Amino acid sequence: MTDRQSLRIDLDEVFSKLKEIHQDIRLISTGVVVVSEWVRWKCRYGCRAYGKHLCCPPYAPAPEETRRMLADYDVAVLARFSPTPTQGYEPRRLHHYLWDSLTALHKTIFELEREAFLMGCYKAFGMGAMPCTFCETCVAEEKISRGEPPSPADALLCRHKDMMRPSLEACGIDVFATLRNAGYDLKVLRSYQERFSLFGMVLLD
């Protein structure tokens, strides 16, 4: 048996085990992942949460860092989630509107990363979607509310450094292009009443 065949069997085992944690996952080549500079501009000029969360820009890795990191990997799993609204919030406050679903997503991505690591994928690294929800307010947002400018060094103050991971878009990953390359059928939605999905990714190898 060649090393490549041996790796293939290991990946099959890893994938099967990961499906026990979250059923809706898809094994992909990292070659289908698209990183674009414009994605971070959308964060900077279109997101209410910009600068308020340590998993997001400007604290998250820049696109060029993401490209260099992806070069260290050959395969990953995409995980799809079907969020449900959190009662008491308007859809325009999307982060809070999906709070419980986002928390479940972030925890699941961490569990997938941890399980892959324990099965021998020692480089495993997860990325979620949208801002982190492990804390009611992030350290960065708390500093802003006190009139103190946050800095990248504030990442040292994160209360959940063990589980907190950056979101795909925060790192400059074009989620739409990546999902299309991976075979998903998707479109831009025009209403909050339409059903939608959120995605995370775990790099393996």
Side-chain angles (χ1 to χ4, degrees), residues 33-37 39 62-64 66-67 70 171-174 178:
V33 180
V34 178
V35 181
S36 300
E37 298 292 331
V39 179
E64 189 52 45
T66 303
R67 291 189 189 96
L70 286 172
C171 299
I173 292 176
D174 183 337
T178 298

Side-chain angles (χ1 to χ4, degrees), residues 1 55 67 70-71 78-79 98 112 121 127 131 135 148 157 163 172 182 193 200 205:
M1 181 179 293
C55 62
R67 291 189 189 96
L70 286 172
L78 285 170
L98 300 177
L112 291 170
C121 296
M127 298 182 191
C135 295
E148 303 173 14
L157 304 176
M163 293 193 298
Q193 278 64 55
D205 291 77

